[in-house]
Amino acid sequence: PRMPFAAAVHGGDGMGPIVAQRAMDEVLKRADSFGMGVATARRSNHFGTAAYYALQAAERGCVGMCLSPAS
């Protein structure tokens, strides 16, 4: 089934912060439209401080979580 609140971002092995920002932009756009937004990002690299992206949601009155499987 299609879930319009969810996005999958393919990073193309690009710089982590650029891919993460693109994913967060998708999350916030979908949250505006559907009340929630979720995105996964793959084929990316280290994206820096996770809180930077989660705080973008908080600044818009949303709950934000940013997770990574990296050590």
Side-chain angles (χ1 to χ4, degrees), residues 5-31 37-45 47 52-53 56 60 66:
F5 62 86
V9 175
H10 192 293
D13 295 318
M15 294 175 55
I18 293 176
V19 176
Q21 187 60 58
R22 200 165 90 215
M24 196 61 187
D25 290 343
E26 283 293 323
V27 165
L28 295 174
K29 179 174 75 174
R30 290 162 193 266
V38 177
T40 60
R42 64 186 178 120
R43 302 296 304 252
S44 182
N45 294 291
F47 62 92
Y52 174 79
Y53 306 100
Q56 291 179 40
R60 293 177 60 163
C66 185

